[in-house]
Amino acid sequence: MASTAGIEDASRDPPSPPSPTASFYDMSDDSEREYSTIRHSRSGKGVKLLYTKSKVYVHPTSSARDNVPGYIALMQQKPAAGDVTTPSTSPEPSARRAQRRSLLLAWVPESSLGEASSTYAKVESSTSPSPPQHSPLVPAPPVTTTHSSSLGTYAFSVPVSEVFSILVRPPNSGWWHGSVVINTRAGDSFPALFFHDSECQSTIEQRKRLQRENFSISSPEGSGGVFWGGDELIRWLKSYVHVERSAQEPSIYLIDPNDADKLSFGSGGKPTSHNVRNVLEGKHKDEPAMHKQGEDPVTKALKQARWSFLEKMAQVTTFTRRTAQAVAENKNLPPQVKRLMQSPQVQTVSDEFDSARLYLARWAMGIAEQSEKERNQRIWTAKDVLEMEETGVGEFEILDLDAQNISLADKRKPVSLQEWKGYFNASTGRLERTPDEVKERIFHGGLATDDGARKEAWLFLLGVYDWTSTKEERRAKMNSLRDEYIRLKGAWWERMVDEQGTLEEREWWKEQKMRIEKDVHRTDRHIPLFAGEDIPHPDPDSPFAEAGTNVHLEQMKDMLLTYNEYNRDLGYVQGMSDLLAPIYAIEQDDAVAFWGFVKFMERMERNFLRDQSGMRLQLLTLDQLCQLLDPKLYEHLQKLDSTNFFFFFRMLLVWFKREFSFEDILRLYETLWTDFLSANFHLFVAMAILEKHRNVIMEHLKGFDEVLKYVNELSGSIDLPSTLVRAEALFKRFQRVVEAIDRKSSFPAAPVARQRVPLPLPPPPATSPGVDGRPRQASAESGSGARRRSSSTAVAVTTGRERTVGDHVGAGVGAEKERVVTPELRALLSREVPKLDKVEVRAHGGGVGS
Amino acid sequence: MSSRKKILLKVIILGDSGVGKTSLMNQYVNKKFSASYKATIGADFLTKEVLVDDRLVTMQLWDTAGQERFQSLGVAFYRGADCCVLVYDVNNAKSFDTLDSWRDEFLIQASPMDPEGFPFVVLGNKVDVGEDKRVISTKRAMAFCQAKGGIPYFETSAKEAVNVEQAFEVIARNALAQEESQDFNPDFPETIPINIGEQNQGCSC
């Protein structure tokens, strides 16, 4: 290796392992010759462009319009001869110092690149992980070690030797772009450089590559965040100089720190309010005596502490004033930080952080979701399922999903129309499998989306047709159902025309008609079927008269009004239109869809009662389920006053209709209709969604309002297939827990103190008798193969109102282990669909009765 | 004064289904109108930071389902409200007639310290629809508001962004006044002196 005069040998270059060859003259390509023609000019025309990254912006003002896009770059200039011989004040080898001096950290606005822009683009797109051997030359940006106000929109470069530290703020400290600030040894800070990663092709490529290679795009810097442009900068620097992350201040990277730096950094001196103010107002310039090696270490530490402090604020603040105060009163906060908090500027910033936080939590989840989706591209294996559970819930045991001889992949293949038809006898049309077999297939695989399988199969799943019926019986049944539909439709039509009934009834009908009108016009209008406004509205007085309507909307209205007639005890209630739309979309025949809906409503009625008792019961059950399956999460929710589980109200009311795409809803509904594992499987789906987000909820969410907001905004982002797998796993786990408790409780019981379960809901209105929307047969354990009941048999008949636990099971388990099976929970093992009887609906439906 | 404390104003928006609660809120916060909002199920809220007399406050606007049977579970949100917005549709008499019961229901559920002085604002929405469809006159609405102790009244159109900004400015101002009058802060358990004997009627049951 040639060592030319004035240039020290690379072999003397100390540690930094992946160090490239240090000798400038190691170039062997054409660029060397080119370079040598301009080498005398230190600030002249050519420097080697080692690394660069585009879409790094300076934000000179608070307006995004003023942002200036540019390139950040690491360059190498030819060291002037003098540099090397200049006696160095530091004890380090002069060689290293010289090398650092030859390195420039630069920012160049796009607009000033001129002809060099293609060179920049080429270097940026280079994917080699090791330092470049041959680097093209680009014009040198002006070298500076201080920044004046005129800087910011003009190119600048700083010798790396003059860089004291780099403040690195990854993008996850706010919804802002990640940024870096270069702090020089002279105590100056350059304007922050913002990495607009989403616009930067090379960062996007790098993320993709990381994901391909590691199934992860997390930052190599271990910040837990996502890989971003700033990570690259640190990597470049590390390959040339010693970069040390400050132990005290992880967002600070010290560049080639000497011992004095390490020692002085963050130590000593008492902060004064003067310092604090200067830091806040960015007035480092006014500071008096600069230390020789940099600014006042206290100021520096404070300046650096500021961002990390705000980051911490971001983790703890909440919408409620409560927590902000709690933070201020936190004993662990150093006094100077407390003082900082009082400053109006910090308050403003922390407010911004505040609203950023929910966004962040979602965003973090989004990333996880994305990578999960990519994994889902592969065929499910038992291992996948297991892995998912381990990360999601923790202590799952091995699933017996693959115990059967059908592989998971086969089980999860949709049932095609052909397969469906094959289940039936060709001549009689009678089912030749057990309904359970068919249900299991649909539960795991769903029905094919494009061949009409749903149109047939849904009528069985919904219970319009008996599983045991023949083709002929079904035909007869449908004929009479059609007649009945027409009769019912005629009944309300006459009612409207003739204004029959009492004044109260007429008012009710008018109101209901209006409600249906309004709701149908805002139900699933994004689906092509319901989108059109191609026919004039039949009623000129309708608020939608001007907008127009379409035939399917009109059918929807007719069906809902017919339901209002059919079930006058309950009538139409908001949310029902959401439940009807999928059935109509599949059947596309009003009479058929109507009866499918009627059957669906039999199990959903309890959601719509005037006293909301059915919803209360389900929310209560969810409360208990969470308590049993994930006590830690439950404890957290308790702290947030969120154990009323109201944030699941929407999901339960219309079976996740607002959370998933229309396509996914079709799949979800047919899964739930099978009642294959439980007639209340939707509660396990809810639990699965909750579990998936448990970490975010526990780490980030600090109040009831935040939980509600977070859960509401999951809408549209939940992956259905993995949620179903998770729900199934949760059910199995639940089943095992119940079995274990039952086994234990069959031992002689020791008296156990009655323990109160936290009351999650206000008691129902006094007018409600002991109905609670509970299905009559909720405690019966049919189907699913006689679960062991042993000594707890007697308890299951207690009413849902009974909120005292411990007397059921708990006995023999020991008081410290509070795992109990309430009647609500036990009912979850049942595959019998919970239905209300007519008397209950009449008492609590809130309709006009018959 | 504690004026530097971060201020959160909780505002509850009530009214019959389809009067435009969600639309008003979205017009105010996001400056957007969509004809295809779905019927609100459960509850949701939006937040907006605003300056009220150069005080920076965060408004938390709660939107709920309009069908009254869904209100029974909504108690949790009403607590600690600083202002209640009652919305009706000027083209729908029923929605106006029910304003009174919405107001009563709110006072029962939220049980504010001083029900008489609690700030309400009434919004008559959908004034863009056209005079021929209109059934509730301004005069009639004003009379109602007067009778209820001088409730501020605005006629709005979420669709055309008419009066929305102005209405919410008053809402914010009244909410802030309410919040400040409550500065001893009943929903702040930490600061309540421990005199259990004094605990009067129905608190957190």
Side-chain angles (χ1 to χ4, degrees):
Chain A
M1 188 174 282
S3 176
T4 323
I7 303 299
E8 62 289 342
D9 197 306
S11 61
R12 287 172 63 203
D13 203 44
S16 47
S19 178
T21 158
S23 168
F24 189 78
Y25 281 359
D26 266 357
M27 295 186 302
S28 57
D29 58 0
D30 294 347
S31 61
E32 180 173 357
R33 246 166 291 129
E34 194 186 328
Y35 181 81
S36 55
T37 61
I38 51 167
R39 67 182 148 190
H40 296 299
S41 152
R42 187 182 163 180
S43 57
K45 293 281 180 272
V47 290
K48 285 168 78 173
L49 182 61
L50 303 174
Y51 291 110
T52 187
K53 192 168 265 305
S54 62
K55 300 298 174 194
V56 176
Y57 284 66
V58 169
H59 297 176
T61 71
S62 60
S63 163
R65 265 185 328 214
D66 298 332
N67 293 351
V68 185
Y71 279 82
I72 192 167
L74 189 64
M75 301 166 163
Q76 192 170 35
Q77 64 181 339
K78 187 200 170 191
D83 278 355
V84 196
T85 50
T86 306
S88 171
T89 47
S90 64
E92 67 175 329
S94 58
R96 270 181 64 78
R97 193 162 170 77
Q99 193 207 330
R100 277 190 282 112
R101 193 161 302 171
S102 76
L103 287 170
L104 295 174
L105 191 50
W107 178 80
V108 187
E110 276 174 14
S111 57
S112 74
L113 287 180
E115 287 174 2
S117 70
S118 61
T119 312
Y120 273 84
K122 199 176 118 212
V123 171
E124 185 188 11
S125 62
S126 153
T127 53
S128 163
S130 50
Q133 295 294 323
H134 313 300
S135 301
L137 293 171
V138 292
V143 177
T144 177
T145 55
T146 59
H147 98 268
S148 64
S149 56
S150 67
L151 269 167
T153 49
Y154 300 104
F156 64 86
S157 66
V158 199
V160 171
S161 60
E162 294 301 325
V163 177
F164 175 79
S165 68
I166 297 184
L167 172 60
V168 176
R169 307 190 295 232
N172 64 344
S173 56
W175 59 38
W176 304 301
H177 306 285
S179 64
V180 298
V181 174
I182 301 166
N183 300 313
T184 68
R185 289 181 185 274
D188 245 320
S189 296
F190 279 85
L193 301 172
F194 293 88
F195 288 75
H196 290 210
D197 287 327
S198 58
E199 301 164 31
C200 174
Q201 204 50 43
S202 66
T203 300
I204 294 167
E205 292 299 327
Q206 278 154 340
R207 280 186 184 159
K208 278 191 194 150
R209 200 163 55 242
L210 274 172
Q211 192 156 20
R212 257 199 323 273
E213 288 162 7
N214 315 329
F215 292 107
S216 149
I217 51 168
S218 53
S219 157
E221 286 302 317
S223 57
V226 167
F227 172 83
W228 67 292
D231 290 331
E232 270 295 280
L233 173 66
I234 296 301
R235 186 180 69 81
W236 304 342
L237 287 167
K238 276 183 174 165
S239 62
Y240 288 93
V241 295
H242 180 58
V243 179
E244 189 171 312
R245 189 168 186 174
S246 163
Q248 293 167 24
E249 193 36 72
S251 57
I252 292 288
Y253 289 80
L254 300 169
I255 304 301
D256 261 351
N258 60 29
D259 292 346
D261 289 340
K262 290 184 203 171
L263 206 66
S264 70
F265 183 76
S267 68
K270 281 207 179 74
T272 63
S273 57
H274 175 73
N275 283 344
V276 173
R277 194 171 351 104
N278 280 345
V279 169
L280 277 171
E281 294 168 8
K283 281 197 277 185
H284 341 284
K285 294 252 169 44
D286 300 350
E287 275 158 61
M290 289 285 191
H291 285 217
K292 196 168 178 243
Q293 273 295 320
E295 64 192 302
D296 168 15
V298 176
T299 311
K300 193 190 299 272
L302 268 175
K303 182 160 74 182
Q304 288 150 351
R306 179 178 166 219
W307 274 99
S308 84
F309 162 66
L310 289 175
E311 280 172 31
K312 277 170 196 126
M313 277 287 289
Q315 288 158 20
V316 290
T317 51
T318 164
F319 285 119
T320 63
R321 36 215 153 173
R322 205 170 299 188
T323 316
Q325 185 140 340
V327 172
E329 286 163 2
N330 185 334
K331 284 194 279 298
N332 297 326
L333 283 181
Q336 60 269 36
V337 171
K338 281 191 190 164
R339 228 170 295 134
L340 268 170
M341 275 203 60
Q342 308 306 321
S343 144
Q345 288 188 25
V346 171
Q347 296 240 317
T348 313
V349 179
S350 81
D351 284 351
E352 286 165 18
F353 263 93
D354 236 24
S355 36
R357 214 153 45 72
L358 272 183
Y359 171 87
L360 269 181
R362 274 199 300 282
W363 175 78
M365 212 55 213
I367 301 284
E369 191 84 26
Q370 183 56 36
S371 64
E372 184 169 301
K373 263 196 191 128
E374 311 236 329
R375 277 205 304 274
N376 287 346
Q377 303 303 312
R378 298 177 292 148
I379 294 169
W380 285 99
T381 65
K383 196 162 152 277
D384 290 332
V385 175
L386 279 176
E387 273 170 3
M388 257 181 45
E389 274 137 31
E390 269 153 25
T391 52
V393 193
E395 30 170 340
F396 269 13
E397 301 150 50
I398 291 177
L399 278 182
D400 34 41
L401 278 181
D402 53 348
Q404 291 114 35
N405 42 16
I406 329 168
S407 80
L408 272 170
D410 279 348
K411 274 175 75 172
R412 295 188 186 281
K413 205 177 70 191
V415 178
S416 66
L417 183 61
Q418 196 187 0
E419 181 179 346
W420 171 261
K421 287 195 162 143
Y423 297 160
F424 294 84
N425 182 295
S427 58
T428 63
R430 201 188 285 277
L431 186 66
E432 291 186 318
R433 309 283 180 94
T434 65
D436 259 6
E437 276 176 86
V438 181
K439 286 178 178 177
E440 180 179 7
R441 270 293 283 129
I442 296 173
F443 177 81
H444 283 120
L447 290 154
T449 56
D450 48 4
D451 59 6
R454 279 182 170 145
K455 203 168 176 164
E456 286 273 319
W458 276 24
L459 297 176
F460 287 85
L461 290 173
L462 283 162
V464 176
Y465 293 148
D466 279 341
W467 288 98
T468 54
S469 60
T470 63
K471 205 192 301 172
E472 183 49 37
E473 283 163 353
R474 291 196 289 274
R475 202 186 53 79
K477 172 119 189 219
M478 189 47 78
N479 281 342
S480 72
L481 287 177
R482 282 186 192 283
D483 292 346
E484 177 66 3
Y485 178 68
I486 291 165
R487 191 191 66 75
L488 286 165
K489 209 170 138 179
W492 65 256
W493 184 252
E494 271 173 42
R495 202 183 282 280
M496 297 270 183
V497 175
D498 303 349
E499 306 231 322
Q500 302 167 347
T502 63
L503 180 68
E504 190 201 353
E505 274 177 19
R506 288 206 304 272
E507 273 297 304
W508 185 75
W509 270 97
K510 220 174 105 190
E511 221 178 287
Q512 290 293 79
K513 186 168 183 290
M514 184 53 123
R515 205 187 288 289
I516 289 168
E517 173 86 18
K518 277 181 180 166
D519 285 355
V520 166
H521 278 271
R522 46 181 177 167
T523 301
D524 293 319
R525 297 300 301 279
H526 62 292
I527 302 302
L529 187 72
F530 299 122
E533 292 178 339
D534 47 6
I535 60 172
H537 201 288
D539 176 4
D541 289 333
S542 159
F544 302 95
E546 274 173 47
T549 179
N550 69 57
V551 62
H552 302 293
L553 295 184
E554 294 308 303
Q555 300 262 44
M556 286 283 288
K557 291 177 204 170
D558 282 359
M559 287 181 284
L560 290 170
L561 276 163
T562 309
Y563 184 75
N564 197 55
E565 171 72 32
Y566 173 81
N567 189 359
R568 272 172 290 169
D569 293 328
L570 183 64
Y572 172 80
V573 181
Q574 282 197 331
M576 290 182 185
S577 64
D578 276 291
L579 300 181
L580 171 60
I583 301 177
Y584 178 74
I586 289 300
E587 303 297 341
Q588 298 214 14
D589 173 314
D590 58 345
V592 179
F594 172 79
W595 290 108
F597 175 67
V598 164
K599 286 292 184 180
F600 189 14
M601 278 310 300
E602 281 178 11
R603 59 154 62 204
M604 299 302 275
E605 252 179 331
R606 60 177 182 162
N607 288 10
F608 298 97
L609 298 180
R610 171 169 222 110
D611 62 9
Q612 293 287 290
S613 52
M615 287 303 293
R616 283 173 209 274
L617 172 74
Q618 290 171 78
L619 293 170
L620 172 68
T621 310
L622 198 54
D623 174 279
Q624 295 174 350
L625 194 58
C626 180
Q627 216 173 337
L628 186 79
L629 293 182
D630 194 346
K632 280 201 185 117
L633 174 62
Y634 185 81
E635 202 180 309
H636 183 72
L637 291 173
Q638 258 179 324
K639 280 188 212 138
L640 309 188
D641 286 335
S642 294
T643 50
N644 52 29
F645 282 80
F646 185 85
F647 51 93
F648 271 111
F649 185 89
R650 184 171 80 193
M651 295 199 201
L652 300 189
L653 187 84
V654 290
W655 274 16
F656 314 92
K657 179 76 187 316
R658 302 291 180 86
E659 328 305 321
F660 291 101
S661 71
F662 199 78
E663 259 312 308
D664 276 351
I665 281 296
L666 306 179
R667 167 77 173 91
L668 175 63
Y669 281 11
E670 67 205 11
T671 305
L672 294 174
W673 288 333
T674 63
D675 301 313
F676 177 65
L677 292 175
S678 164
N680 282 291
F681 195 68
H682 66 292
L683 294 179
F684 291 92
V685 173
M687 232 3 242
I689 293 170
L690 186 61
E691 280 297 316
K692 161 109 189 194
H693 296 270
R694 74 187 293 273
N695 291 339
V696 175
I697 292 172
M698 289 176 70
E699 280 164 30
H700 298 281
L701 305 184
K702 312 287 179 194
F704 169 70
D705 48 358
E706 293 188 14
V707 178
L708 181 83
K709 189 84 188 153
Y710 182 80
V711 172
N712 274 350
E713 298 201 354
L714 291 178
S715 175
S717 72
I718 310 171
D719 178 64
L720 182 64
S722 63
T723 302
L724 289 176
V725 171
R726 211 175 260 266
E728 180 171 358
L730 281 165
F731 176 81
K732 300 253 153 113
R733 182 173 182 209
F734 168 74
Q735 206 173 27
R736 264 194 289 272
V737 171
V738 174
E739 277 168 11
I741 292 171
D742 284 356
R743 261 198 304 279
K744 286 191 177 148
S745 63
S746 62
F747 290 114
V752 171
R754 288 167 74 91
Q755 299 155 327
R756 276 179 63 80
V757 171
L759 256 187
L761 291 166
T767 52
S768 143
V771 179
D772 244 10
R774 270 172 56 79
R776 280 279 177 259
Q777 65 279 59
S779 57
E781 286 183 68
S782 55
S784 87
R787 211 126 306 293
R788 294 195 39 173
R789 298 292 304 277
S790 60
S791 66
S792 56
T793 315
V795 301
V797 292
T798 45
T799 73
R801 196 74 56 73
E802 177 69 83
R803 297 223 172 83
T804 311
V805 296
D807 45 351
H808 313 313
V809 203
V813 182
E816 74 285 345
K817 200 171 184 203
E818 296 179 28
R819 292 195 156 178
V820 294
V821 184
T822 60
E824 291 85 358
L825 287 181
R826 196 170 291 283
L828 294 179
L829 294 169
S830 168
R831 298 171 60 188
E832 186 97 12
V833 176
K835 289 175 187 169
L836 300 178
D837 75 35
K838 271 280 143 204
V839 184
E840 288 167 28
V841 181
R842 188 157 311 164
H844 308 285
V848 291
S850 39
Chain B
M1 292 262 279
S2 59
S3 59
R4 285 288 146 230
K5 216 168 52 180
K6 195 177 163 186
I7 301 172
L8 181 92
L9 301 177
K10 190 167 170 181
V11 176
I12 316 286
I13 304 177
L14 299 177
D16 280 4
S17 70
V19 296
K21 297 179 292 296
T22 307
S23 296
L24 279 164
M25 200 173 85
N26 270 288
Q27 178 57 262
Y28 176 57
V29 175
N30 300 321
K31 308 265 174 274
K32 270 189 236 156
F33 175 81
S34 158
S36 60
Y37 288 122
K38 298 182 173 192
T40 304
I41 294 178
D44 202 354
F45 65 85
L46 291 178
T47 53
K48 185 175 167 95
E49 306 235 313
V50 283
L51 277 174
V52 182
D53 301 332
D54 58 70
R55 305 270 305 274
L56 186 68
V57 302
T58 304
M59 299 235 292
Q60 193 181 58
L61 305 167
W62 284 83
D63 184 21
T64 56
Q67 195 161 0
E68 85 282 12
R69 69 181 61 195
F70 291 125
Q71 294 296 319
S72 68
L73 281 165
V75 192
F77 323 119
Y78 290 7
R79 296 256 161 85
D82 298 302
C83 182
C84 176
V85 182
L86 302 172
V87 186
Y88 77 98
D89 172 356
V90 297
N91 313 295
N92 178 336
K94 179 85 192 328
S95 71
F96 179 75
D97 297 341
T98 51
L99 283 185
D100 211 18
S101 41
W102 281 113
R103 179 174 169 278
D104 291 348
E105 184 70 5
F106 173 83
L107 288 174
I108 293 165
Q109 303 278 15
S111 44
M113 306 287 278
D114 170 23
E116 293 303 308
F118 188 87
F120 287 89
V121 172
V122 171
L123 306 184
N125 194 35
K126 305 199 187 181
V127 292
D128 55 278
V129 169
E131 279 304 314
D132 56 322
K133 292 270 167 70
R134 182 161 177 161
V135 293
I136 302 297
S137 68
T138 308
K139 209 170 128 195
R140 189 163 160 209
M142 297 280 270
F144 170 83
C145 291
Q146 277 308 314
K148 295 291 163 190
I151 301 178
Y153 174 65
F154 291 88
E155 299 200 334
T156 57
S157 161
K159 189 178 179 182
E160 318 266 327
V162 173
N163 249 348
V164 176
E165 198 69 40
Q166 292 86 334
F168 276 95
E169 201 182 303
V170 168
I171 291 161
R173 198 176 300 272
N174 291 359
L176 180 60
Q178 168 71 8
E179 170 70 21
E180 286 182 329
S181 75
Q182 304 273 305
D183 232 7
F184 46 91
N185 230 336
D187 58 345
F188 215 139
E190 294 94 321
T191 60
I192 288 183
I194 315 146
N195 48 351
I196 301 150
E198 284 291 295
Q199 291 244 335
N200 36 7
Q201 33 35 290
C203 53
S204 57
C205 38

